[in-house]
Amino acid sequence: MEDDTVEPSWSLETLAIRAGHERTAEQEHSEPIFPTSSFVYGSAAEAARKFGGEEPGNVYSRFTNPTVRTFEKRLAALEGGERCVATSSGMSAILSTALALLQAGDEIVASRSLFGSTVSLFDKYLAKLGITTRYVELSDLNAWEAAVTPATKLLFAETPSNPLAEVADITALAALAKRHDALLAIDNCFLTPALQQPLALGADLVIHSATKYLDGQGRAVGGAVVGSHQLLEEIFGVVRTCGPCLSPFNAWVFTKGLETLSLRMNAHCENTQQLAQWLVQHPGVAHVYYSGLTDHPQHALAKQQQKGFGAVLGFEVNGGQAAAWQVIDATQMVSITGNLGDVKTTITHPATTTHGRLSDAQKSAAGISPGLIRVAVGLESQADIQRDLARGLDQLTR
Ligand SMILES: *Cc1c(COP(=O)(O)O)cnc(C)c1O
């Protein structure tokens, strides 16, 4: 890594606080914001050299910006990647990756349980460019193998999945990608580098919606891609030309968010584990989907490849949609919203919101039953979250 703000021995917690900030002549302690669209030159000759790329330096904030660079260097350090390129959203991180690395005739093999907009991006917009996507069961390695063809250039997965917390074997997927001369991209939004580092497991690219846990307090929309210099130079080319660049203010919000990432993720995991264990024994609950539970089918794999089990869980109540809505509507504190990655706990009914566009058959294939509720556990007191969910759950068994 060519980041001279970083000591090779630093741990993740230290990198999250210290990496990427090049102090200016003002000797500021906290990272500054540079809200400027362009940069000036000492002479016409210097301008010519910088425009021509013969001399490094800032030209225009669609290309580079010092505040954005601090966020990029810090996230690259946390993910253990050579380079990071920040983007205006998680979706533009995925779009820029596809535009940079794929062309007409190429194929993507992706896990079935992806973020909804990612599926729309692949099926509606990449398909228009002649790039087709095949979907497979996230944890079924044979299905991945069978779906790969000579035209496959990218394997794309989100692990753990949302909302059923299935886990993919990243090491095995990386080996499969390598065997077929394809790249493996992992959307690491749900765990963040504090809990999972896909590059160390062999993935080529890590994709983030910084909107979620990197910020952690629901304040700004942004994204990023991390990987090798070679791949990221291609992705940088798309961002600088096509324009989905991150604003300096949002980059600053994410940079400050990263400083508490490990602390927050550990606290999120602890709250979620306790909530999962309480839900399991509640008579109104038929099943809990969380990889931190020992009866989860990929519990052993999750334990091996993750440093924590994350903060998103699904649970199925007895009584179908009416019962699920009753539990959601009985809450007084947790927020009824599809968002996640926030200190505030959120609750949603996947079958009628995030997965509402799927047919009944598709929902059933994806395990999205009418009684399923998703909770993204925040950092309020665990006892208060539990009490809020108990309002409706206790009614179901009365
Ligand atoms: C939110 C999300 C995205 C999209 O990110 P935006 O910042 O909303 O564009 C992509 N992947 C996952 C897993 C997400 O949760």
Side-chain angles (χ1 to χ4, degrees), residues 11 16 35 46 55 64 88 104 164 178 219 256 274 286 291 308 326 328 330 348 371:
S11 68
E46 185 193 333
E55 189 177 311
T64 61
S88 57
L164 299 180
K178 206 138 284 157
R219 297 168 293 195
K256 302 309 280 181
Q274 286 183 30
S291 67
Q326 191 181 322
I328 292 169
T348 187

Side-chain angles (χ1 to χ4, degrees), residues 89-91 115 158 187 189-190 209 211-212 221-222:
S89 68
M91 289 319 302
F115 185 67
E158 237 172 70
D187 182 332
C189 170
F190 277 64
S209 167
T211 317
K212 314 295 168 48
V221 174

Side-chain angles (χ1 to χ4, degrees), residues 10-144:
W10 281 352
S11 68
L12 185 120
E13 289 76 8
T14 308
L15 292 170
I17 292 169
R18 296 283 177 177
H21 178 200
E22 291 155 79
R23 200 160 282 146
T24 74
E26 298 294 345
Q27 295 284 51
E28 74 284 355
H29 191 206
S30 179
E31 297 76 358
I33 310 180
F34 288 88
T36 179
S37 50
S38 69
F39 301 83
V40 295
Y41 317 98
S43 67
E46 185 193 333
R49 287 194 302 273
K50 286 196 170 150
F51 265 84
E54 295 149 42
E55 189 177 311
N58 299 306
V59 173
Y60 186 51
S61 282
R62 171 153 45 78
F63 310 166
T64 61
N65 173 280
T67 315
V68 176
R69 185 164 56 239
T70 296
F71 169 62
E72 290 172 335
K73 284 186 150 187
R74 191 165 291 184
L75 186 58
L78 295 181
E79 288 286 3
E82 289 174 352
R83 184 169 171 192
C84 168
V85 170
T87 57
S88 57
S89 68
M91 289 319 302
S92 63
I94 301 173
L95 173 64
S96 302
T97 300
L99 285 180
L101 305 175
L102 302 176
Q103 57 187 28
D106 288 349
E107 292 176 4
I108 301 172
V109 178
S111 53
R112 205 185 306 283
S113 33
L114 287 181
F115 185 67
S117 295
T118 307
V119 175
S120 302
L121 168 61
F122 289 173
D123 290 351
K124 201 165 162 195
Y125 298 105
L126 293 188
K128 240 183 357 188
L129 306 179
I131 299 161
T132 49
T133 306
R134 228 166 273 179
Y135 297 94
V136 296
E137 181 64 33
L138 177 69
S139 56
D140 183 350
L141 275 173
N142 292 330
W144 284 89

Side-chain angles (χ1 to χ4, degrees), residues 141-142 144-146 148-150 152 155 171-184 202 204:
L141 275 173
N142 292 330
W144 284 89
E145 180 95 55
V148 171
T149 76
T152 304
L155 307 190
T171 310
L173 286 182
L176 175 66
K178 206 138 284 157
R179 269 204 307 285
H180 293 275
D181 231 0
L183 298 169
L184 173 64
D204 299 287

